[in-house]
Amino acid sequence: MREAWLPLAVLLALGAAPLLGFGGSYETTLMARVMILAMAAVSLSFLVGGAGLVSLGHAASVGVGAYAVAILDAHNVTEAARVLPAAIGAAALFSMVTGAVAIRTSGVHFIMITLAFGQMAFFTASSLAAYGGDDGYTLYSRTEVWGSRLLGNRLTFHYVCLGALALTWALCAMLLASRFGRVLRAARENAQRVEAVGLAPYPFRLVAYVIAGAIGGAAGFLLANATEFVSPAGISWQRSGELLFMVILGGVGRLWGAILGAVAFVLLETWLADHVAHWKMVFGPLLVLAVLFLKGGLSGLVVRRHG
Amino acid sequence: MTTQLLLVQALNGLQLGILLFLVAAGLTLVFGVMDFINLAHGVQYMLGAYLGASLAAATGSFWLGLLLALPAALLAGLVLEVLVFRHLYDRDHLAQVLATFGVILFLNEGVKLVWGAAPLQVAVPPLLEGGVQIMPGLQYPLYRVAVLGAGLATAGLLWWLVERTRAGMLVRAGATNAPMVSALGVDIGRLFTLVFAFGAMLAGFAGVLAGPIFSVEPGMGDTVLILAFVVIVIGGIGSIRGAFIAALLVGLIDTLGKSLMPDLMRLFLDASAARQAGAALASMLVYVAMAAILAFRPAGLFPVRAD
Amino acid sequence: MAEPLLRLVDLRKHYGGLAVTDGVSLDVLPGEIHAVIGPNGAGKTTLIHEITGVVRPDAGQVVFAGRDVTRLSLPRRVRAGLARTFQITSVVPGFTALANVALAVQARLGSSFRFLRPAASEAATNTAAMDALAEVGLADRAEVPAGALSHGEKRALELAIALATKPRLLLLDEPLAGAGPEETERLIALLTRLKSAYTILLVEHDMQAVFALADRVSVLVYGRVIATGTVAEIRGNPEVRAAYLGEDEA
């Protein structure tokens, strides 16, 4: 944990930013996006680096959470005490059903089947004509907390996102260190070994998949509130690819790497989009280069330098 | 829905299946022989379509365009292999997914830069204009018949290459057991490059053929790519026969689903909602089929790899 | 005669037209070391798969401690007390030796769905794991990553993992395979020590080791047990000599 000073510093910086003059609408919107995507990326890193489950459909659980907010909003349910559990529960349920099938496969098949389930979620969202269909759905209002418009306040929302990210990190780290996590990590390296001590990896992987999905749902809840808008584009497989990229950019195997990955990804993307016309032509090759040359990810760089 | 319309849709489905097969064949070979996930295979299809379209426009002849586009697509595949993919063969699937994802971003944006964001229209070559009577009072476009024929011929050629030639034998052996092939003293690197370039050319060929049927636009490869992945996963990775059957299956399910679903939905919903929901649900069908097949046969219909 | 701990009843497995296990029946008595030997291609690997639950036999029964386990999966057989080691060493390379064994301990304690406490600092599992490591002479290597251990040490670690599941039967799949002469000597000494405390089914190529360790030997040839008996009986059996030992002496 000693090498985790950098992500801690990042969290501190995010906490201090509004107090240091970065509390404007543009900055807080950008930071909210960073923190929420980091939250989703950390939960994906828990799956990929912890359980060895390379999901190319993680954006779907985020999307399910976001759509739970939108659908409830359309039915005038905006109370966090009901919306948040619904978002988390829906994403967890989605992950449980899809995971039950997906985890029977492994390797490439797992990547592909999670992609397929993601696409199913994407097309389902597109078919929801009552909630905007392809065009997406604009919320009437942000979710209320016991009747008050707490989340409407920019600063409050900022710290809620920060808290959620910190909580996600702590939760995933705790899970990986526990007996449960030990089984997951062992099964990632050598599933046969785990079976030979009397444990079937399947239920452990499924629980991990559901937990990651639930966290994704919570991230979706925040994302819907941050933009006050949900659309199928947020569930597309490209979004899942981006989340995976944040994980690998940060470094697989270190949860906090995903936080660095998300920060770097969003900032780079935003900067390029603002300054370069065909920015994806720069971004794509950067991605390739990062994969080819940054093998331990950003967190690998940090750790290597410190011993 | 009349029988005639059903017949037309079935033919359309077969023809989509044939195009998918041309894309999936390269993908499944590359995947089977090199254990390499190439997400960028779809953009090679797109590149083929663009090259075909602009070469046809430049030369004034669809046929000349086709003839020139094939080596150009092959060359593009070679360049990508040498610059990027070659360095990824010994990396894990996660790295491959992400690096090739970067290539997609680059090329999708690249074609926008070169050809603009608006779709290109490609005219049907004069030789293949008009229709053929397939039933009394039912005309079917000659070009589409030709695509079916060309696709089937290519499939036959491919079958011959893989089953009856020495190179094909090596490729099949490589799909089952790559270390054994290199132990035989075959330069596995050269074999990889060959298979790769050949796969790229097939995808490009499919792109050229698709030009006059679908619009040629940025991102057109992504949809096809995902469907091609569904095809190879259903068919069993590395299996040409599996890819062929699965491609026709997916083509039929997708096309028939898209024409039947909205009608089916009209039983439950009003017309416009039924159209939107039906189309979206139809897009989902192939993924449902894939999930169902993988749930019962985790390695696909025709598993190749012996392990 | 005591009730056998493991009883194989007429196990059959065909691959295509080939009978890989062709009616194997075999008893392992409590407290004995029972060795299975046989030339290459005799069907030893498939037999082990059938005993451990990796492959399901077409016909026949695997009865363990009086209970029919033919349809149980590998993990459930391990929980019933049937531990195994692998021909190709199988450890978690990124875990320390201690964590490798502690994993087995927590599996035996039957409570791996615990989410809160850090597993690495749990005294209960670590103490039991240290005991198992000490039993195989690896106590001073506890904190070394398993991937960094020598081949012989990995073998010993695998034994410690198996012991930590508190097995009633140890199934050892060629424990000496790939070991150098010195390592072989050390492993044989270790197995001799374990002999008094455990019932062992030993599948092994090394004849010297088998004759030194085993109480009884079964000879597997082309998927059939052609003879079972004490070391002396097997050595003197003309059929065995013809089918198997002959080629070694030639």
Side-chain angles (χ1 to χ4, degrees):
Chain A
M1 261 339 236
R2 215 172 25 152
E3 75 259 11
W5 63 269
L6 184 56
L8 281 173
V10 169
L11 291 188
L12 274 177
L14 284 166
L19 311 174
L20 300 175
F22 295 99
S25 165
Y26 177 83
E27 291 94 342
T28 48
T29 305
L30 183 64
M31 284 189 286
R33 188 173 147 77
V34 166
M35 290 186 283
I36 294 166
L37 290 181
M39 192 176 157
V42 168
S43 64
L44 181 60
S45 178
F46 165 73
L47 267 191
V48 175
L53 298 171
V54 179
S55 165
L56 193 47
H58 198 56
S61 59
V62 179
V64 169
Y67 264 91
V69 176
I71 290 170
L72 289 174
D73 179 83
H75 296 281
N76 288 319
V77 180
T78 53
E79 171 52 50
R82 292 164 73 184
V83 177
L84 182 60
I88 293 177
L93 187 68
F94 173 79
S95 300
M96 195 168 79
V97 173
T98 58
V101 177
I103 291 169
R104 283 173 44 88
T105 67
S106 61
V108 174
H109 290 97
F110 181 80
I111 298 180
M112 288 304 137
I113 200 165
T114 50
L115 171 70
F117 283 127
Q119 290 293 97
M120 281 162 65
F122 172 81
F123 287 118
T124 307
S126 308
S127 76
L128 296 174
Y131 310 104
D134 280 331
D135 303 325
Y137 175 91
T138 304
L139 300 187
Y140 288 110
S141 67
R142 282 195 176 177
T143 305
E144 293 165 354
V145 183
W146 285 291
S148 86
R149 297 185 169 266
L150 214 56
L151 296 183
N153 180 295
R154 208 156 61 211
L155 278 187
T156 313
F157 191 71
H158 180 82
Y159 287 108
V160 166
C161 290
L162 184 62
L165 173 58
L167 192 66
T168 298
W169 180 19
L171 178 74
C172 289
M174 178 188 80
L175 288 174
L176 280 184
S178 72
R179 284 189 178 190
F180 168 75
R182 176 188 265 165
V183 177
L184 281 182
R185 287 179 286 126
R188 185 195 74 218
E189 287 194 46
N190 186 347
Q192 179 196 52
R193 185 17 74 206
V194 173
E195 294 196 337
V197 299
L199 297 172
Y202 182 89
F204 293 89
R205 287 176 173 157
L206 185 57
V207 169
Y209 195 74
V210 171
I211 290 172
I215 297 173
F221 167 85
L222 289 174
L223 197 62
N225 273 293
T227 54
E228 299 182 35
F229 176 71
V230 299
S231 83
I235 315 180
S236 68
W237 70 276
Q238 285 92 342
R239 171 57 63 81
S240 293
E242 286 169 14
L243 288 176
L244 261 187
F245 179 60
M246 292 172 201
V247 172
I248 204 172
L249 180 64
V252 181
R254 286 178 209 92
L255 284 175
W256 52 266
I259 300 178
L260 300 190
V263 171
F265 182 94
V266 175
L267 291 185
L268 188 66
E269 183 193 53
T270 310
W271 188 86
L272 280 176
D274 287 348
H275 292 85
V276 184
H278 289 276
W279 64 276
K280 281 183 182 166
M281 289 194 74
V282 181
F283 197 65
L286 280 180
L287 219 160
V288 175
L289 291 176
V291 172
L292 288 182
F293 298 109
L294 209 61
K295 286 188 183 160
L298 293 172
S299 65
L301 286 183
V302 177
V303 172
R304 229 171 299 148
R305 185 183 290 182
H306 285 261
Chain B
M1 171 109 350
T2 64
T3 329
Q4 293 188 349
L5 200 53
L6 203 62
L7 183 65
V8 168
Q9 292 298 351
L11 281 172
N12 284 345
L14 284 178
Q15 168 231 301
L16 173 65
I18 282 288
L19 288 179
L20 280 178
F21 169 71
L22 292 179
V23 177
L27 200 59
T28 204
L29 281 181
V30 164
F31 204 77
V33 181
M34 311 176 206
D35 199 24
F36 176 61
I37 308 191
N38 180 15
L39 291 190
H41 200 71
V43 292
Q44 282 163 334
Y45 162 85
M46 174 187 73
L47 217 52
Y50 269 101
L51 287 170
S54 52
L55 287 170
T59 58
S61 154
F62 176 83
W63 303 108
L64 222 56
L66 175 64
L67 209 64
L68 291 173
L70 289 184
L74 188 104
L75 195 68
L78 275 179
V79 169
L80 282 175
E81 204 265 350
V82 171
L83 279 184
V84 182
F85 303 146
R86 179 170 290 185
H87 312 288
L88 292 165
Y89 294 151
D90 56 348
R91 301 286 300 278
D92 58 10
H93 289 140
L94 184 56
Q96 296 170 352
V97 163
L98 290 167
T100 53
F101 182 61
V103 173
I104 296 186
L105 289 181
F106 176 78
L107 285 177
N108 271 343
E109 199 64 31
V111 298
K112 269 190 218 165
L113 185 69
V114 177
W115 285 283
L120 300 186
Q121 302 299 331
V122 181
V124 171
L127 189 63
L128 296 175
E129 272 171 6
V132 268
Q133 183 148 340
I134 47 172
M135 253 171 69
L138 182 62
Q139 293 267 321
Y140 191 72
L142 180 59
Y143 182 76
R144 287 173 176 255
V145 177
V147 166
L148 257 177
L152 284 174
T154 314
L157 178 74
L158 202 59
W159 176 84
W160 178 80
L161 274 177
V162 172
E163 297 289 328
R164 290 285 182 268
T165 64
R166 184 182 141 76
M169 187 272 288
L170 289 176
V171 166
R172 269 184 298 139
T176 324
N177 189 344
M180 190 198 77
V181 174
S182 54
L184 286 176
V186 174
D187 182 347
I188 202 100
R190 282 240 328 260
L191 183 70
F192 280 9
T193 310
L194 198 79
V195 170
F196 203 94
F198 188 68
M201 189 179 70
L202 280 180
F205 180 49
V208 180
L209 291 184
I213 303 177
F214 309 114
S215 57
V216 177
E217 58 190 339
M220 68 184 280
D222 296 5
T223 334
V224 169
L225 169 81
I226 305 279
L227 283 180
F229 266 120
V230 172
V231 164
I232 70 170
V233 167
I234 290 181
I237 288 165
S239 164
I240 290 283
R241 181 172 57 139
F244 185 72
I245 291 169
L248 295 186
L249 196 68
V250 167
L252 281 173
I253 291 178
D254 194 54
T255 310
L256 289 177
K258 276 181 179 141
S259 70
L260 295 178
M261 269 310 228
D263 287 342
L264 205 62
M265 294 313 286
R266 207 161 298 163
L267 299 176
F268 313 105
L269 298 167
D270 66 82
S272 82
R275 200 164 345 100
Q276 194 171 15
L281 289 178
S283 308
M284 236 168 89
L285 276 181
V286 293
Y287 302 105
V288 176
M290 165 167 155
I293 287 171
L294 281 194
F296 293 103
R297 297 186 63 108
L301 293 176
F302 300 95
V304 166
R305 201 168 289 273
D307 53 9
Chain C
M1 197 163 94
E3 179 74 12
L5 182 58
L6 176 73
R7 200 150 55 83
L8 308 183
V9 187
D10 198 27
L11 283 182
R12 286 170 192 280
K13 181 80 195 173
H14 291 251
Y15 287 115
L18 188 68
V20 186
T21 323
D22 193 9
V24 169
S25 295
L26 189 85
D27 285 345
V28 180
L29 303 175
E32 75 168 339
I33 288 197
H34 192 128
V36 172
I37 61 173
N40 281 325
K44 295 188 300 263
T45 304
T46 306
L47 186 64
I48 290 169
H49 284 338
E50 285 166 312
I51 297 172
T52 54
V54 177
V55 166
R56 196 160 286 175
D58 300 333
Q61 269 186 314
V62 179
V63 182
F64 181 64
R67 174 177 171 210
D68 185 348
V69 297
T70 319
R71 315 220 137 260
L72 292 191
S73 65
L74 166 62
R76 297 192 55 188
R77 288 184 206 205
V78 175
R79 286 208 295 277
L82 205 168
R84 70 170 294 183
T85 62
F86 293 87
Q87 193 174 338
I88 298 165
T89 335
S90 182
V91 295
V92 183
F95 279 22
T96 61
L98 183 68
N100 264 283
V101 184
L103 176 71
V105 175
Q106 77 174 50
R108 170 168 58 84
L109 297 177
S111 49
S112 283
F113 279 104
R114 285 198 191 162
F115 302 96
L116 302 181
R117 293 229 316 266
S121 55
E122 246 184 271
T125 47
N126 284 349
T127 311
M130 276 310 286
D131 290 347
L133 282 176
E135 211 173 340
V136 302
L138 276 184
D140 55 337
R141 305 285 278 160
E143 293 304 327
V144 179
L149 294 174
S150 74
H151 177 80
E153 286 173 331
K154 278 186 197 154
R155 285 278 178 210
L157 173 60
E158 227 194 328
L159 269 173
I161 296 171
L163 296 182
T165 65
K166 294 266 188 262
R168 304 180 63 179
L169 175 75
L170 265 176
L171 194 155
L172 306 181
D173 186 358
E174 304 205 10
L176 302 179
E182 215 173 291
E183 282 176 339
T184 302
E185 213 170 283
R186 233 177 289 141
L187 284 168
I188 290 181
L190 171 57
L191 291 176
T192 314
R193 258 189 291 132
L194 296 179
K195 191 174 162 172
S196 55
Y198 296 92
T199 307
I200 296 175
L201 179 62
L202 173 69
V203 177
E204 182 51 62
H205 250 346
D206 186 327
M207 283 305 137
Q208 233 129 36
V210 166
F211 290 149
L213 288 167
D215 298 308
R216 290 197 303 155
V217 179
S218 290
V219 183
L220 194 67
V221 177
Y222 293 125
R224 293 168 164 277
V225 175
I226 60 165
T228 296
T230 62
V231 170
E233 285 165 0
I234 291 298
R235 280 183 148 161
N237 186 318
E239 211 182 328
V240 174
R241 294 184 82 91
Y244 183 52
L245 297 179
E247 68 178 33
D248 262 7
E249 285 168 5

